[in-house]
Amino acid sequence: MTIPRLSIFAILFSAGLAGGGAAYAADAPRHAITHEDVWLMKRVGAPVPSPDGKWAVFSVTDPAYDSKEQWSDLWIKSLTDDTPARRLTFSKGGESGAAWSPDSRQLVFVAKRDGDDAAQLYRIDVAGGGEAQRLTTLTLGARQPKFSPDGTQLLFVSDVYPGDANEDDVKKSAKERKDRKYSARAYETFPPRYFDKWLDDKKVRLFVMDAAAGAKPRDLLAGSKLAALPGFGGGQGDEGQSLDALWSPDGKAVVFAASTNRDEAARAAGYTQIYSVPLAGGEPAQLTRDKHSYGSLKFSADGKTLFVLTQAEEEGKVYDVSRLASFAWPLTQPAPRLLTASLDRSISRFALPAGTGRVVFSYEHAGLEQLHSITYAGGDLRDEASPATGSIGSLAAGGKAMVGVWESSVNPPEVYAFGNGAPKRLTAFNTERAASIDWQAPEHFWFKASDGRMIHNMLVKPANFDPAKKYPLFAVIHGGAANMWRDQFVIRWNYHLLAQPGYVVLLTDYKGSTGYGEEFARAIQGDPLKGPGDEINEAVDEAVRKYGYIDGGRLAAGGASYGGHLANWLQATTTRYKAFVSHAGEMDLVMQWGSSDSIHRREVNSGGPVWGEQAVWREQSPVMQGGNHAKGTGFTTPILISVGELDYRVPANNALMNYATQHRLNVPAKLLVFPDENHWILKGENSRYFYSEVHGWLARYLK
């Protein structure tokens, strides 16, 4: 595997010049990044290329501090010439789930417009022009549309209530729920809530309909034994459950991935298998029968191969890499062909550009995400032309064209064309604003930890950086733990905005991080906090030793989610830092196990249930280290604690316990509670306040 190196091409990307467009004047004044710079950067969605490879459509959000003033629309860009992208829709509500017709003339998308109680399917004539036309009026809405191979029908996902057989039943059930005099929720399945929502009893279904307004949708899974199973379902998201589904090449069936053991989520890993249901309906046929999960289903252009991403879901392991695999179609082989079996990295996404006989994909590695390819048979692994810095955020093929989103920490997301030599930037929504900011790309470095592991880090410097000066260090810890610091533009914990007051920001990929192989990610099993915490401390030591401009006497650390867990652990076990910041941070492993929306993997990570004999439940719970305060080895450093009241992933009780612990031990602490936020701080004014509080807290103890 090739480890990427910086090149002249990378330098051009860092300057925002690749792909054409006006460059910011070299002598123009540049300013230190502001919250407005971060928040008001336009947010460019994943482009969807047309089947003929001539167009790409994507969403662009014009953010605002007042959500009522925020706009999001679909834009379209020619892939055959350099004409600028143009706005395709003009609707404040926003659109998603765009899908092209096979002839590349029609576009269907999901939107909630005036008169819609739920998001519906709309169609627009891209070739002929005109207004978008509503296609569905379902009580519970529609999502994830796909045209049939002949363009005459649509496949999509919607929901029903238990026992409902048709839309009339759904309407009655919805009215009954609306008219109820009581407000209680009742549950017999797990989990009862997800991120910031209490779940309901809706059941996910696959529907087909003629691609015309007024056509009647038909539930393909109605009356099936499969859909009646208590554990049937798909992935959980903000809009409900999803089913990864697509048309069979001949248009006579729908192929989809679904789980049948969701009801075992509290005690077992979930497995997502592949099924096929005839267009006429009937009982779906199960095509795979193993302890793997399958997703990202795509057919080759000739319809002879089904490509997927698969995870082994190995029992008793905390992490499994995602591999690229294929099945001959019709699917008759009992097991998939693993195309990337020799590549010890998780495949993030892939595309199938026509006429190449190759699968193009990306994976995480050492802060970057770049393009690679392999033959349909799984040979001749190559590095494809992609920027030597930053990250590929999306990738899709239409005909021979391949498009995606590329970004870096100093280049906010833009749409790019890939596959024909050097990547070409197609949009310039953020380039001018980005060029006006005084910022530098992160500096990468490695070191060998005391456990023998090679640890990757990125260092971010503040504006007006002077290597002759001394700067405090802020070690920012990523969440996950199955995650990786990427060279990308981040809104919630923007590296440069955190550094802006005059700090050097250290980003360390501790053991448990992705992007370094399966064993590295699994290394936190049985050691969820201490081992990663030790590596963060060692990374700080290495940064202080390596870079003379870092002041080793002024150190701070902080993070969110799992990063907040580790911030709490460090505050409980060391006195080397001057200040901590913990957002959505776990304070007690046992409480987090019992109150979050995910518990099975926590048991796997700790070696067994909380009532077992595994010492890790107590020995690596931050609150249980309270005795370190009397010893002078922990719980002495001031800490800023923040939490969203709607966070059901790391519920607010963790923050309340943390705050209580600090006051019990007489440690300086401040608690920020956001009543209208979930696991993340997503509202503009809340975000601005959060950053100001973080800056104020660090300044109090580091300046």
Side-chain angles (χ1 to χ4, degrees):
M1 179 180 59
T2 302
I3 296 178
R5 295 178 296 176
L6 292 179
S7 62
I8 294 298
F9 184 62
I11 294 170
L12 290 175
F13 265 78
S14 296
L17 303 178
Y24 191 76
D27 58 350
R30 298 173 190 267
H31 64 270
I33 193 169
T34 65
H35 189 270
E36 289 73 19
D37 287 324
V38 172
W39 194 260
L40 297 179
M41 288 287 183
K42 296 185 188 299
R43 300 170 194 180
V44 181
V48 182
S50 59
D52 61 10
K54 295 181 178 180
W55 302 94
V57 67
F58 50 91
S59 66
V60 178
T61 299
D62 288 288
Y65 281 97
D66 184 347
S67 60
K68 296 178 182 178
E69 298 177 0
Q70 182 166 293
W71 280 77
S72 181
D73 283 303
L74 292 179
W75 288 65
I76 190 168
K77 173 70 180 76
S78 170
L79 300 181
T80 60
D81 58 44
D82 292 330
T83 56
R86 62 180 175 87
R87 195 186 301 262
L88 189 62
T89 63
F90 297 82
S91 172
K92 197 170 185 179
E95 297 84 16
S96 63
W100 288 92
S101 61
D103 62 6
S104 301
R105 298 180 62 84
Q106 307 284 323
L107 196 70
V108 64
F109 57 86
V110 179
K112 186 177 179 181
R113 297 190 168 180
D114 291 341
D116 293 334
D117 293 325
Q120 304 292 344
L121 300 189
Y122 284 78
R123 182 181 60 188
I124 190 168
D125 187 342
V126 178
E131 294 295 319
Q133 180 184 38
R134 184 192 289 114
L135 298 182
T136 62
T137 56
L138 292 171
T139 303
L140 298 181
R143 54 191 184 275
Q144 297 177 248
K146 289 184 176 68
F147 274 96
S148 61
D150 64 3
T152 63
Q153 298 183 83
L154 286 171
L155 163 70
F156 63 91
V157 172
S158 186
D159 302 293
V160 300
Y161 290 108
D164 291 347
N166 50 50
E167 174 63 7
D168 289 338
D169 290 345
V170 174
K171 286 182 179 179
K172 290 179 183 178
S173 295
K175 185 176 186 306
E176 288 172 0
R177 284 158 171 75
K178 186 177 180 180
D179 293 344
R180 284 173 179 169
K181 304 299 183 183
Y182 60 88
S183 59
R185 304 182 185 97
Y187 295 91
E188 294 186 53
T189 58
F190 186 88
R193 56 189 191 176
Y194 176 79
F195 264 85
D196 63 349
K197 294 178 176 61
W198 286 91
L199 300 180
D200 53 34
D201 58 348
K202 296 189 187 88
K203 304 295 183 182
V204 66
R205 293 290 186 269
L206 292 172
F207 285 80
V208 293
M209 62 179 284
D210 290 339
K216 186 176 180 180
R218 183 164 51 88
D219 182 353
L220 285 182
L221 302 179
S224 68
K225 295 177 182 178
L226 177 69
L229 292 173
F232 175 79
Q236 187 68 49
D238 288 341
E239 304 304 320
Q241 289 183 42
S242 61
L243 289 174
D244 190 348
L246 74 171
W247 292 88
S248 64
D250 61 7
K252 296 180 180 179
V254 169
V255 183
F256 63 99
S259 172
T260 58
N261 72 330
R262 282 175 57 92
D263 55 330
E264 300 175 356
R267 58 189 181 275
Y271 302 106
T272 304
Q273 298 291 294
I274 302 176
Y275 298 84
S276 176
V277 60
L279 192 57
E283 191 63 37
Q286 185 170 350
L287 303 182
T288 58
R289 296 179 182 273
D290 53 25
K291 290 190 175 182
H292 283 66
S293 284
Y294 297 95
S296 300
L297 280 58
K298 292 181 177 70
F299 281 107
S300 59
D302 61 9
K304 295 181 179 180
T305 309
L306 174 63
F307 291 93
V308 299
L309 293 183
T310 181
Q311 289 178 292
E313 302 288 358
E314 188 174 340
E315 192 62 42
K317 297 297 183 182
V318 74
Y319 175 81
D320 300 281
V321 298
S322 178
R323 302 189 187 281
L324 179 65
S326 68
F327 294 92
W329 190 264
L331 198 156
T332 56
Q333 63 198 75
R337 169 185 283 180
L338 296 179
L339 305 182
T340 58
S342 62
L343 180 63
D344 189 19
R345 293 292 185 273
S346 271
I347 309 304
S348 302
R349 57 191 59 83
F350 70 94
L352 304 170
T356 65
R358 302 186 68 84
V359 186
V360 181
F361 58 90
S362 67
Y363 60 78
E364 300 171 327
H365 176 70
L368 309 177
E369 186 152 343
Q370 300 175 309
L371 293 182
H372 314 271
S373 72
I374 202 166
T375 65
Y376 280 13
D380 188 24
L381 178 63
R382 297 179 190 170
D383 294 337
E384 293 290 330
S386 55
T389 62
S391 297
I392 304 292
S394 70
L395 187 68
K400 295 182 179 180
M402 191 164 55
V403 293
V405 168
W406 176 83
E407 63 181 301
S408 79
S409 60
V410 295
N411 291 278
E414 299 287 356
V415 176
Y416 278 74
F418 301 105
N420 291 312
K424 180 180 180 180
R425 176 164 54 79
L426 301 179
T427 63
F429 291 102
N430 295 307
T431 53
E432 184 175 352
R433 186 168 204 145
S436 71
I437 299 171
D438 180 6
W439 52 5
Q440 299 179 41
E443 181 173 345
H444 297 244
F445 73 92
W446 296 75
F447 74 94
K448 180 180 282 189
S450 58
D451 61 8
R453 299 179 191 282
M454 293 301 296
I455 304 297
H456 176 259
N457 307 261
M458 292 191 294
L459 210 64
V460 177
K461 301 164 188 172
N464 300 309
F465 176 75
D466 181 353
K469 294 182 178 180
K470 286 282 190 178
Y471 293 89
L473 179 73
F474 184 23
V476 183
I477 311 166
H478 73 67
N483 198 357
M484 177 190 76
W485 280 127
R486 291 179 179 84
D487 181 7
Q488 66 178 149
F489 183 78
V490 182
I491 295 174
R492 294 192 294 269
W493 283 72
N494 184 273
Y495 317 147
H496 290 87
L497 187 55
L498 292 172
Q500 188 266 349
Y503 309 126
V504 171
V505 168
L506 175 65
L507 308 170
T508 299
D509 283 339
Y510 52 84
K511 71 177 185 178
S513 303
T514 54
Y516 306 93
E518 195 168 64
E519 188 279 332
F520 191 95
R522 287 176 171 178
I524 60 168
Q525 195 157 346
D527 185 21
L529 298 179
K530 183 182 184 304
D534 290 345
E535 290 180 350
I536 292 165
N537 288 333
E538 292 179 29
V540 170
D541 289 339
E542 179 67 14
V544 171
R545 184 196 66 78
K546 188 177 180 69
Y547 301 100
Y549 50 78
I550 295 176
D551 184 348
R554 291 187 292 166
L555 307 174
S561 193
Y562 199 93
H565 305 355
L566 284 168
N568 293 342
W569 174 260
L570 293 176
Q571 197 239 7
T573 57
T574 182
T575 60
R576 65 180 305 168
Y577 300 95
K578 300 294 185 183
F580 284 100
V581 178
S582 173
H583 176 74
E586 170 186 278
M587 194 63 176
D588 178 52
L589 268 64
V590 175
M591 179 172 66
Q592 174 66 5
W593 170 86
S595 59
S596 77
D597 57 7
S598 174
I599 69 174
H600 173 65
R601 285 192 179 272
R602 301 182 193 282
E603 287 190 18
V604 173
N605 203 20
S606 296
V610 296
W611 51 82
E613 298 180 358
Q614 291 77 17
V616 67
W617 290 109
R618 181 178 182 86
E619 292 179 355
Q620 295 204 26
S621 283
V623 70
M624 295 301 180
Q625 315 311 309
N628 291 344
H629 178 74
K631 302 174 188 175
T633 58
F635 279 120
T636 61
T637 306
I639 185 168
L640 176 67
I641 305 162
S642 60
V643 68
E645 273 194 272
L646 301 178
D647 187 353
Y648 302 150
R649 177 55 50 89
V650 184
N653 281 354
N654 278 282
L656 296 176
M657 175 182 275
N658 195 348
Y659 192 60
T661 302
Q662 308 305 325
H663 277 264
R664 171 65 178 80
L665 298 175
N666 197 27
V667 180
K670 187 171 186 177
L671 175 65
L672 309 178
V673 180
F674 296 87
D676 54 349
E677 298 286 9
N678 60 17
H679 196 54
W680 302 296
I681 298 172
L682 301 175
K683 295 179 170 60
E685 293 297 350
N686 286 345
S687 174
R688 181 170 15 214
Y689 172 74
F690 171 77
Y691 276 102
S692 70
E693 286 293 308
V694 170
H695 285 160
W697 189 256
L698 294 178
R700 187 188 302 185
Y701 297 102
L702 295 182
K703 290 290 188 181

